Amino acid sequence: MKQTIVLALLAAGTLGMVSAQAADVRVMAANCAYCHGPDGKSQGPIPSLAGLDKGYFIQQMKDFKSGERPSVVMQKHALGYTEEECRKLAEWFAAVK
Amino acid sequence: MAFNRRDFLKISAGAAGAATLGGLSGCATPGARAKAKVVVVGGGFGGATCARYIKIWDPGIDVTVIEMNDKFVSCPFSNTVLGGISDMEDITHGYDGLKKDGVRLVKDEVVGIDAAKRVVKCKSGATFNYDRLVLSGGIELRPELIPGFDAAAQQTVMHAWKAGPQTATLRKQLEAMPNGGVFVISIPGMPYRCPPGPYERISMVANYFKQKKPKSKVIALDTNSDIVSKKGLFMAAWDKHYKGMIEYRPSSKPVRIDAKTRTVVLDVEDVKADVLNVIPPMRAHAMTAAAGVRNDNDNWCKVNFTTLESTAVPYVHVIGDSISAPTPKSGSMANNYGKICAAAIVELINGRQPDASPVITNTCFSATTGHTAIHVAAVWRLEGDKWVTPKGASGVSKEESEMEWAYMTGWAKNIWADTLNL
């Protein structure tokens, strides 16, 4: 059991450090802020992301990727993220009050 | 932001026993450590964002921003000031929002960095100790590389490549120019801050001429062998809106300039201007040299992209236009590099490992007229030590549009808010 933990830590990187999985989503969500506003709260004509329904967000990202939903900028951004990341981002923005 | 904080603490608790093994600065036994100190030099898109996000993600860290100017003046949109569409007030913002985030703001100029002792020295005599230092000073312009562009010449020939008084002066020169005059812009070779910027400037000046001084002309002398960004879109816009007004000359590196006669001397000919705008070559800000981190041919700073920590000097991070990277030197990139750096610093100070494969995005709009714009956008993912763009995750506008002008104004509002807590 102890050995397993040590191996897991070694596999994750430097011993004694925990990889920052939670930080991933935080930083990834923050990537969106320069267009969609801090915490996804937009001040201008670009839509806000804060509080969007999770399912709606995931579907929009899919539709941007496929071109089903025409876009000016978003197809390129959507294609940069995996499905798993889109889901995490959807959860993230859905939780913003 | 309560959600992040909770998540964070959960991980923190799990790692508590291991945290002391990290061997990191400012990191001792959890609960007993002194407040870790981060000093950020430069309050632009990179530095202000980084400072703010460190406080958001770990309010326990002491963050100081050293900035020499009273106010933030945005380079993005400064070309619309030259075109008479915006004024200086529209692109100027205060730093009060950063203070509300708990960031300490110091108006001073850094004159020395002792990376061994981890001390920053300022012009006023003040010194600041740091656990981690973030250098976000942007660029150092190098007029000395163009013969004739001396101190006297710099009084009348503007670069306007750092938004501020130079922007206002260049606008006044354009206003004073008679109808039928010639505006000459000299563009430096890549890499430089804001690749599409010179071509947007050409468009904005031509737009102003078309409306107010229709007999006037723009001559662009580009050191590069071609338009380096959004080429097809700019050429289409120039053809559509400014036919016959813009003369674009590639591979036209200035041999020297004569400020008195407002002349650029090229290899083959002399080009005389009524208003002359020379953007000289540039490199990372001088303080990066002082810190010993300008290690890419003494021009730019090599960093580890997971942390933005210098490859040359530990505990010194470099963000924004100063870094050596395949990504463009844009405000959006500086803003997002600031966040990757902030997250990494928070992780390191708390004895955790930074994200090994961050994702970063760029979106960069350029105005083509007073009501239309274009963009370039891309996503990069760090694979090993290389930024890789997934298939389809980069590109430019199909065509200029009024919608993109609206998006561009929305982008500006939101990035200024995100950077400065407006």
Side-chain angles (χ1 to χ4, degrees):
Chain A
M1 183 64 188
K2 262 183 193 167
Q3 209 176 10
T4 318
I5 292 169
V6 170
L7 283 175
L9 282 169
L10 283 172
T14 316
L15 183 65
M17 287 188 164
V18 175
S19 83
Q21 285 307 313
D24 282 357
V25 199
R26 235 179 11 190
V27 182
M28 218 179 277
N31 257 329
C32 311
Y34 62 61
C35 275
H36 293 279
D39 290 333
K41 294 172 185 170
S42 176
Q43 296 187 16
I46 299 172
S48 284
L49 303 176
L52 284 184
D53 175 74
K54 181 185 155 188
Y56 174 81
F57 187 105
I58 292 169
Q59 190 60 47
Q60 299 313 302
M61 290 297 269
K62 272 187 190 159
D63 291 348
F64 280 135
K65 281 188 188 187
S66 69
E68 182 80 14
R69 177 172 171 179
S71 64
V72 174
V73 178
M74 273 309 296
Q75 186 178 38
K76 295 173 278 259
H77 285 293
L79 285 168
Y81 296 95
T82 65
E83 268 182 43
E84 171 70 3
E85 288 165 350
C86 289
R87 190 184 56 76
K88 283 184 181 171
L89 286 169
E91 281 169 2
W92 180 267
F93 284 113
V96 178
K97 294 283 175 277
Chain B
M1 278 297 179
F3 179 70
N4 335 355
R5 192 62 193 141
R6 266 202 307 277
D7 248 20
F8 219 67
L9 290 171
K10 257 189 273 172
I11 291 178
S12 210
T20 46
L21 295 172
L24 295 157
S25 92
C27 169
T29 312
R33 71 174 162 91
K35 239 183 174 187
K37 285 188 172 63
V38 176
V39 173
V40 180
V41 186
F45 283 106
T49 303
C50 185
R52 192 165 127 60
Y53 273 83
I54 290 171
K55 286 305 276 188
I56 290 170
W57 287 333
D58 187 350
I61 297 173
D62 184 276
V63 183
T64 301
V65 172
I66 304 171
E67 164 59 47
M68 58 189 283
N69 296 308
D70 286 316
K71 297 212 163 177
F72 170 101
V73 186
S74 176
C75 279
F77 262 75
S78 66
N79 282 330
T80 67
V81 174
L82 298 179
I85 296 158
S86 314
D87 54 37
M88 289 302 291
E89 263 180 43
D90 297 323
I91 61 166
T92 305
H93 300 285
Y95 283 112
D96 288 349
L98 280 190
K99 293 178 200 159
K100 282 183 208 149
D101 280 322
V103 172
R104 181 158 60 131
L105 200 78
V106 175
K107 193 195 168 189
D108 214 329
E109 194 177 336
V110 171
V111 292
I113 293 163
D114 185 335
K117 290 184 180 149
R118 288 197 245 167
V119 181
V120 174
K121 292 167 196 161
C122 288
K123 202 173 186 177
S124 69
T127 59
F128 297 88
N129 298 307
Y130 63 83
D131 293 294
R132 298 234 162 228
L133 175 66
V134 180
L135 298 180
S136 188
I139 50 161
E140 173 186 31
L141 291 162
R142 308 193 68 194
E144 74 278 9
L145 295 182
I146 302 177
F149 205 1
D150 54 19
Q154 287 166 44
Q155 297 300 309
T156 56
V157 178
M158 298 297 110
H159 54 76
W161 216 242
K162 293 182 180 186
Q166 290 246 340
T167 314
T169 301
L170 184 54
R171 173 62 193 165
K172 280 189 195 126
Q173 291 177 344
L174 288 165
E175 282 172 351
M177 193 192 84
N179 186 10
V182 177
F183 171 72
V184 175
I185 179 172
S186 171
I187 303 167
M190 281 279 272
Y192 59 84
R193 162 181 280 180
C194 190
Y199 314 107
E200 180 190 60
R201 180 170 291 182
I202 291 164
S203 309
M204 288 297 91
V205 172
N207 188 61
Y208 167 63
F209 286 170
K210 187 180 174 182
Q211 286 168 11
K212 305 282 184 183
K213 293 167 184 172
K215 291 180 195 159
S216 308
K217 250 178 81 171
V218 177
I219 298 177
L221 305 175
D222 198 340
T223 300
N224 301 287
S225 59
D226 206 345
I227 295 171
V228 301
S229 177
K230 306 173 186 167
K231 180 189 170 186
L233 292 161
F234 277 117
M235 286 179 67
W238 296 349
D239 190 53
K240 183 175 176 187
H241 305 292
Y242 316 118
K243 210 169 178 75
M245 294 181 71
I246 298 170
E247 199 178 306
Y248 174 78
R249 302 190 195 174
S251 306
S252 297
K253 185 181 174 178
V255 173
R256 64 180 175 87
I257 66 162
D258 185 336
K260 285 206 181 82
T261 57
R262 296 182 298 274
T263 300
V264 180
V265 176
L266 303 172
D267 271 335
V268 284
E269 61 180 324
D270 298 354
V271 181
K272 198 180 172 314
D274 292 285
V275 175
L276 178 56
N277 175 205
V278 178
I279 307 162
M282 58 197 77
R283 60 179 171 181
H285 192 278
M287 71 185 165
T288 61
V293 298
R294 200 161 67 188
N295 56 339
D296 183 358
N297 203 21
D298 200 25
N299 280 322
W300 308 105
C301 308
K302 291 185 191 171
V303 293
N304 172 342
F305 290 117
T306 57
T307 57
L308 281 303
E309 189 170 8
S310 165
T311 60
V313 180
Y315 309 111
V316 178
H317 302 248
V318 189
I319 55 175
D321 293 344
S322 297
I323 64 170
S324 176
T327 51
K329 299 184 186 302
S330 74
S332 291
M333 290 306 295
N335 172 265
N336 276 347
Y337 271 127
K339 293 164 196 169
I340 291 179
C341 182
I345 284 176
V346 167
E347 297 304 292
L348 290 167
I349 283 174
N350 285 284
R352 296 186 297 265
Q353 182 153 300
D355 183 2
S357 42
V359 180
I360 195 164
T361 72
N362 182 51
T363 308
C364 167
F365 293 95
S366 305
T368 50
T369 71
H371 55 96
T372 55
I374 55 180
H375 80 274
V376 59
V379 179
W380 287 270
R381 309 180 64 96
L382 194 67
E383 291 180 9
D385 60 354
K386 296 266 184 297
W387 287 115
V388 176
T389 297
K391 193 167 183 280
S394 75
V396 297
S397 318
K398 288 185 189 80
E399 56 189 357
E400 67 172 19
S401 68
E402 293 190 6
M403 181 177 270
E404 291 214 38
W405 174 276
Y407 283 169
M408 182 173 71
T409 60
W411 170 89
K413 275 187 184 159
N414 285 331
I415 197 171
W416 292 335
D418 191 44
T419 302
L420 299 165
N421 189 21
L422 298 182

